[in-house]
Amino acid sequence: MSTNLAEILPAAFREHPIDCALILGSGWGDALAPEMVHAVVPYTDLPDFGAASVVGHKGELLLMTLAGRRVVVFSGRRHYYEGCPIEQVVYPIRLLKALGVKTLLITNAAGGINANFRAGDLMVLTDHMNLTGVNPLRGPHDSEWCTRFPDMSHVYDPELSQILLDQGGETMRQGVYVFSPGPSYETPAEIRAYRTLGADAVGMSTVPEAIMAHAGGIRVAALSCITNMAAGLHSTTLVHEEVLAESESAKPRMAALLKAFVANCPKG
Ligand code: HPA
């Protein structure tokens, strides 16, 4: 990896402090209505990251003014199930740290496990379960990034999460997200086990980035769009098109919430 990561970006990224960053899945980047876009970098221009390969994930890094704040947006992400090393999945976090970003909101699509949830709900993450054995901090210890055994008691920042809850209204859900490595969806037996363990939603992203960012001193909040009820909790089979369709209909609400979050997050 490059030693001074931020230098591969256009100078505009380094000219003024950045207030916050968004990592967006499932085409939500298109829904933002920024006052101005200062720079667009296709992921193919970030050699250590590479092109996003999943339908619905665009693959652009943007610097924009949104709600009067200076915001970096990863529109599309890399997933562990694509077969890339975990270092590549969390590359955006290294870049954000190099840019001095202190606040991050991560979004994802997820399957609902909590029986009170419905497709179309939005859920603020209160915690996560990583049962995969995959950890982005595995490997030689980088003492400049974090301690060898970083605490994970409070991954999702309560103050940032409260902004989402305040701005999202009464229908906002809260819960525990379980990281499933994918790319196959879970079996009904796995979902029953996750429910017994206390999970409210399941998805194939977010947790590596959240671990990396929290360990590296970046404040994190995360938001799931419940695009379907998880395996065994509904009568139909799971298909990616259903996830994309539900993500698409959540776009206006998601865009409004992202903007409200950005408007209320701490200044960089
Ligand atoms: N499982 C895992 N990931 C998902 C799901 C699901 O049901 N829905 C959207 N992403």
Side-chain angles (χ1 to χ4, degrees), residues 22 139 146 153 157 227 232 259:
L22 310 176
C146 60
S153 306
D157 187 280
T227 51
K259 190 166 185 174

XYZ file of all heavy atoms in Angstrom, residues 22 139 146 153 157 227 232 259:
52
model
N -19.269 9.333 4.341
C -20.352 8.355 4.203
C -19.849 7.194 3.360
O -19.236 7.415 2.314
C -21.565 8.978 3.486
C -22.105 10.325 3.981
C -23.233 10.814 3.075
C -22.603 10.202 5.415
N -3.042 -9.650 11.638
C -1.774 -9.454 10.933
C -0.802 -8.672 11.786
O -1.056 -8.429 12.971
N -3.723 1.525 16.132
C -4.469 1.206 17.363
C -3.614 0.326 18.264
O -2.523 -0.077 17.884
C -5.787 0.488 17.029
S -5.581 -1.064 16.151
N -16.334 -2.296 22.963
C -17.547 -2.183 23.780
C -18.519 -1.147 23.235
O -19.720 -1.233 23.473
C -17.209 -1.787 25.221
O -16.267 -2.661 25.758
N -21.073 5.015 17.929
C -21.034 6.192 18.777
C -22.458 6.634 19.177
O -23.283 6.932 18.304
C -20.335 7.302 17.988
C -20.079 8.527 18.810
O -21.029 9.326 18.994
O -18.949 8.672 19.289
N -34.194 -4.610 3.758
C -34.721 -4.758 2.396
C -35.599 -5.997 2.247
O -36.315 -6.138 1.252
C -33.558 -4.860 1.392
O -32.664 -5.873 1.850
C -32.830 -3.528 1.265
N -36.332 -17.846 5.894
C -37.210 -18.600 6.787
C -38.265 -17.738 7.449
O -39.205 -18.261 8.056
N -28.777 13.482 4.636
C -28.566 14.933 4.627
C -28.745 15.517 6.032
O -27.945 16.337 6.480
C -29.544 15.587 3.639
C -29.256 17.033 3.376
C -30.021 17.528 2.163
C -29.600 18.972 1.865
N -30.175 19.473 0.642
